[in-house]
Amino acid sequence: MILLGIETSCDETAASLVADGRRILRSAVASQMNVHRAFRGVVPELASRAHAERINTVIEAALRGYSWKDVDGIGVTRGPGLVGCLLIGATTAQVLGRLRQVPVIGVNHLEGHLVAAQLEHRSLRPPFLGLIVSGGHTELHVYEKAGRYRRLGGTRDDAAGEAFDKIAYQLGLPFPGGPAIDRAARGGNPSTVAFPRAWMPGTWDFSFSGLKTSVINYLKGAGARRAATRDLAASVQEAIVDVLVTKTLNAAEEAGMRRVVVGGGVAANSRLRKAFVERAVPRRIRVYLPDRSFCTDNAAMVAAAAYHRLRSKTPLEKRLIVDPGLSLQSWKTA
Ligand code: KG4
Ligand code: ZN
């Protein structure tokens, strides 16, 4: 079964053709980084316009070498995300679905991030513990089987990616801050400043806003004597990674899971990837990470999530309604 995935929830216009939920035939992404860089954040109105301008070209690129006869359905992100952006994808998908007489499957973006690792690790099957770490989310879920999730916890304030982005700004690094800190931290000493870790004991929740405040206070206090940017970047990165890895592996053990799947833009972080593998091995837990290009927003993960939904035969919603605040729900209760 070949599905076309469409993703427009934030600042990447993406389309992809995926066979049987695991094999990527084509993938096209048009990044809007140049549109938003000067504003150091995604400007919703500009993002919707950019999606509208690019979506047709991106879908054509994803279909190159194939024809609509090959396409059995369309998966499209219906939330969470920026409402104007979601509407561009959803409207396009619905028009194409009608025109080509194929089903349109509304997909939860977070579910996409959780199944992205299966594009790389094709034999990976649930149950597993899933960590979603992106610009808007930091959440731990037990993925019991396709469409059945149990939420363990999530951030109470900033998402991990948001923390990277905001702290990078304080350090004078470019937007987006995650990749900038990742690059700047290379060769830096992560023990230079012992930035605080919010452990949130007794819960599987996270909190990263205190770290941001602590960096601001450090920079004010240190003035001209501040440590080198690479050492600060490495110290900040270590503080975020330490909490994410420690809590996720502890949660996996407590939930009796030997497999952990990580997804979302922050899963592209090189220190996070290394730390997960290093620290999981002695605990006999296997960590699955998507290829870096499928950590950040993409449409292959949307097509994959749509495939699992279609295969499950769980009835699809009667109407495709976008929901900017959509949470990861089990399909039965959706
Ligand atoms: O999943 P994503 O593309 O969009 C959302 O759904 O939010 O994630 C974007 C986030 C941004 O905050 C970005 O700074 C972060 O992922 N990110 C990284 C890295 N690459 C992207 N954070 C840390 N290290 C990276 N290498
Ligand atoms: Zn995302």
Side-chain angles (χ1 to χ4, degrees), residues 109 113 134 297 301:
H109 182 84
H113 278 310
S134 68
D297 291 347
M301 69 183 199

PDB file of all heavy atoms in Angstrom, residues 109 113 134 297 301, ligand 2:
ATOM      1  N   HIS A 109       0.487  14.660  14.499  1.00  0.00           N
ATOM      2  CA  HIS A 109       1.906  14.930  14.253  1.00  0.00           C
ATOM      3  C   HIS A 109       2.815  14.203  15.268  1.00  0.00           C
ATOM      4  O   HIS A 109       3.889  13.699  14.916  1.00  0.00           O
ATOM      5  CB  HIS A 109       2.096  16.445  14.350  1.00  0.00           C
ATOM      6  CG  HIS A 109       3.466  16.932  14.085  1.00  0.00           C
ATOM      7  ND1 HIS A 109       3.925  17.173  12.815  1.00  0.00           N
ATOM      8  CD2 HIS A 109       4.495  17.227  14.916  1.00  0.00           C
ATOM      9  CE1 HIS A 109       5.175  17.607  12.885  1.00  0.00           C
ATOM     10  NE2 HIS A 109       5.552  17.643  14.143  1.00  0.00           N
ATOM     11  N   HIS A 113       6.027  11.523  14.825  1.00  0.00           N
ATOM     12  CA  HIS A 113       7.382  11.515  15.400  1.00  0.00           C
ATOM     13  C   HIS A 113       7.685  10.167  16.063  1.00  0.00           C
ATOM     14  O   HIS A 113       8.833   9.739  16.098  1.00  0.00           O
ATOM     15  CB  HIS A 113       7.526  12.646  16.424  1.00  0.00           C
ATOM     16  CG  HIS A 113       7.832  13.980  15.797  1.00  0.00           C
ATOM     17  ND1 HIS A 113       8.847  14.151  14.884  1.00  0.00           N
ATOM     18  CD2 HIS A 113       7.266  15.211  15.966  1.00  0.00           C
ATOM     19  CE1 HIS A 113       8.897  15.433  14.514  1.00  0.00           C
ATOM     20  NE2 HIS A 113       7.949  16.097  15.142  1.00  0.00           N
ATOM     21  N   SER A 134      10.597  17.837  20.736  1.00  0.00           N
ATOM     22  CA  SER A 134      10.617  18.732  19.574  1.00  0.00           C
ATOM     23  C   SER A 134      10.578  20.174  20.052  1.00  0.00           C
ATOM     24  O   SER A 134      10.780  20.458  21.231  1.00  0.00           O
ATOM     25  CB  SER A 134       9.423  18.405  18.683  1.00  0.00           C
ATOM     26  OG  SER A 134       8.239  18.754  19.349  1.00  0.00           O
ATOM     27  N   ASP A 297      10.661  17.786  11.293  1.00  0.00           N
ATOM     28  CA  ASP A 297       9.383  17.558  10.628  1.00  0.00           C
ATOM     29  C   ASP A 297       9.552  17.089   9.183  1.00  0.00           C
ATOM     30  O   ASP A 297      10.344  17.635   8.423  1.00  0.00           O
ATOM     31  CB  ASP A 297       8.546  18.849  10.675  1.00  0.00           C
ATOM     32  CG  ASP A 297       8.106  19.145  12.096  1.00  0.00           C
ATOM     33  OD1 ASP A 297       8.234  18.251  12.948  1.00  0.00           O
ATOM     34  OD2 ASP A 297       7.637  20.260  12.335  1.00  0.00           O
ATOM     35  N   MET A 301       6.981  10.407   7.943  1.00  0.00           N
ATOM     36  CA  MET A 301       6.431   9.945   9.224  1.00  0.00           C
ATOM     37  C   MET A 301       4.903  10.080   9.239  1.00  0.00           C
ATOM     38  O   MET A 301       4.217   9.294   9.897  1.00  0.00           O
ATOM     39  CB  MET A 301       7.064  10.728  10.393  1.00  0.00           C
ATOM     40  CG  MET A 301       6.665  12.184  10.465  1.00  0.00           C
ATOM     41  SD  MET A 301       7.525  13.035  11.827  1.00  0.00           S
ATOM     42  CE  MET A 301       6.460  14.481  12.034  1.00  0.00           C
TER      43      MET A 301
HETATM   44 ZN    ZN B   2       7.504  18.034  14.875  1.00  0.00          ZN
END
